[in-house]
Each structure stands twice: as C-alpha cells, then as structure tokens.
Amino acid sequence: MPIIGSKGAGSAGGFGGIGGGAKINDPVSFHYLVIAGGGGGAGGSPGLSDNSGGGGAGGMQSSYPSGSTIELEGGGTYTMTVGTGGPESPTGPISQGNDSVFADGEPVAVTSTGGGGGQPYTGSPTSSNPGGSGGGGGGGDPAGSVNPGGSGVGGQGNPGGRGNNDGAGNGGGGGGGGKGGSGGDGGNPGPPNSPSVNGNGFGGSGAANSITGASVTYAGGGGGGSNGANPSRPFSGGSGGGGQGTNPGVSTAGTDGLGGGGGAGGSPGGSGVIVLRAPACAVFTVSPGCNTITTDPGGDQIATFNVTGTLRI
C-alpha cells in the first residue's frame, strides 16, 4: 500500500497550509491517538483473588496537538487495528491486553502495546512473581515479602506497583501502571481497621488528550486487591478508565474506549481506541459502521475507530 511518510506540524491545528479543494485520491495528513487494550486484573487461587495485582493500562501514543502528522497516499485502504482488553481471568494466569495499530502492516505503522496483566496471588511464598509488562505494567503479587510490578513500555505507560505482604497473610496487590503515573504499591497493613493500614495500591493515573475536540483522560491503571484481613478498603483505579480492585468480591472492569486496566479480582481490561484528525477538505471514509467520522467546531474531521476496521482515502 502506498505511504507518503510523516510531516511536521504547521498551523495551530497541526496541519500545513492546503490550497484549493481536495480531490478524490489526494494524500491526507493525519494526527493520531492510538490507545491499546488494558490488561486484565488478576484473579488467583480460590479465596485469594482479593490480594492480586491490578491490570496495566493500554499503551498510549499521540501526535496531537504538536507532534508530526502521518501522511497516507490517496487511493488506498488502510487497516486500523483496535486492541481489545485482556479477558476476564478469575483464577487464571496474567491477562495481557491487545495491541492497537494505526496503518497496520504499513511502513509508518504506529503500534501501542497492550497493558500488562496483574499477577495472580497464589499464596506461595516467592519473590519471583512480577506483574506483566505492557503499555502500562501490571501490579505485583503479594505472596512474598515484596513482588515487583511489571515494567511499562517506554513513553507509552508506567510500571505497575509492588505487591507487599507483612508475613502474616495481610498483604495487598500492586496497582497497574497508567500513562500518567505508576501503580501504587500494595498495602502492608496491620490488624483489621487499624490506623496503620496502608491503602495505597491504587491504579496509576491516565493522561488527557483533546484530539476529539474535548479533553478526555485515557489509559488509567487498574486498582490492586485489598488485603483479605481488611476487606473494607478497595483500591481505586486510576483516572482514565482504570477499574477498582476487589473489595473482596467487588471488582470492576477497565473502561472500553479508554484502554483502562481491569481491577484486581479477575476483571477484564477495557478496549482501546484509535482517533484520527484530518483537515476539513480531506476526502476519506471509515468502516464498519460503528466507526465514525465527525466534524470538530473548528472544521477538522475526526475519525474514531472503536473496533478494528479500514480507512479508505
């Protein structure tokens, strides 16, 4: 498929001057936002899922408002792959989110990496159970004294938090990493309802972007699991669609379309999204029907891919 390449931002909207009316098959320059699917929050052995790690947010990359646009040649059809979230896994292994890819298979493809899944809590006293790596790293398992969170992909997300344990089974899973911040370390609490309870296994914060014409926060990490000895302290997900960690028994999914990580307790991650912004005069279509083209008040066209589909210029 023909590809032109990338162009530096020109006008305030990021597009260089375009004279006259555009024609069918003219090349089009696009700003992009590419969000991958969030990682799933970990489950664990029966009765132990409340201590598991939260899912990491899907990786986030954007050229808007000041980065270089990517120019695609006219007359072509380009694949936009939207990553789904890591699936629900109440007692299973790490549940990785899926990648999202702008212009999949082309030389200028932009790939955002799916969020790392949280580490399930097995109860085994080991220090080698890190959370999964991904766009945002998944939270760690608290079975040992300290288990690390997964690493985030450089520039796309941040690491997950550590899982901690006080040696008496009163641990907490780490929160998943978000685009805007790392996941919190799991609590290392004292007795139930004690003032010393350290409820900080929160999901990492997301990051805002206004490519759609309104500021939206994306890619928040999922909350880690609260310790079984103190179930009244769930760990909240990060801003940008991160799910809440288990209470136990209450765990929420990452938000679809934002790439949020799933909350600990086995909840799935949220699906990603691809948003493209082009000049008003550009001529292109998107499919299938649940992907849309809208017009910004300033005149630019906004293409939103909620599911995998095609862009036709």
Side-chain angles (χ1 to χ4, degrees):
M1 192 69 64
I3 297 283
I4 301 294
S6 62
K7 298 176 65 176
S11 66
F15 300 105
I18 299 177
K23 302 179 181 65
I24 302 262
N25 293 342
D26 278 355
V28 178
S29 293
F30 293 95
H31 273 298
Y32 59 84
L33 169 70
V34 183
I35 308 286
S45 301
L48 299 176
S49 62
D50 52 309
N51 281 15
S52 300
M60 175 177 175
Q61 297 187 82
S62 181
S63 69
Y64 190 82
S66 58
S68 295
T69 60
I70 289 180
E71 189 171 70
L72 300 180
E73 189 166 305
T77 300
Y78 302 89
T79 300
M80 303 292 157
T81 300
V82 177
T84 55
E88 181 176 357
S89 182
T91 59
I94 286 174
S95 176
Q96 183 89 13
N98 294 287
D99 296 352
S100 288
V101 188
F102 167 88
D104 201 351
E106 305 293 345
V108 295
V110 176
T111 301
S112 290
T113 305
Q119 176 62 245
Y121 179 52
T122 63
S124 301
T126 176
S127 58
S128 59
N129 286 339
S133 297
D141 160 28
S145 58
V146 173
N147 271 316
S151 60
V153 173
Q156 297 187 26
N158 288 284
R162 299 177 302 172
N164 288 328
N165 194 301
D166 66 357
N170 298 326
K179 171 64 174 178
S182 299
D185 294 342
N188 194 3
N193 303 314
S194 165
S196 67
V197 168
N198 190 4
N200 60 348
F202 303 115
S205 61
N209 190 279
S210 57
I211 191 170
T212 62
S215 181
V216 178
T217 301
Y218 302 88
S226 61
N227 67 92
N230 189 27
S232 64
R233 296 181 66 89
F235 296 151
S236 62
S239 59
Q244 176 182 287
T246 186
N247 203 18
V250 178
S251 173
T252 60
T255 303
D256 287 337
L258 300 180
S267 289
S271 62
V273 68
I274 296 176
V275 183
L276 308 179
R277 188 178 179 110
C281 60
V283 180
F284 61 93
T285 61
V286 301
S287 63
C290 49
N291 298 325
T292 63
I293 298 174
T294 58
T295 302
D296 179 80
D300 286 347
Q301 298 182 77
I302 312 298
T304 301
F305 288 84
N306 299 298
V307 298
T308 296
T310 55
L311 171 76
R312 172 78 180 178
I313 300 174

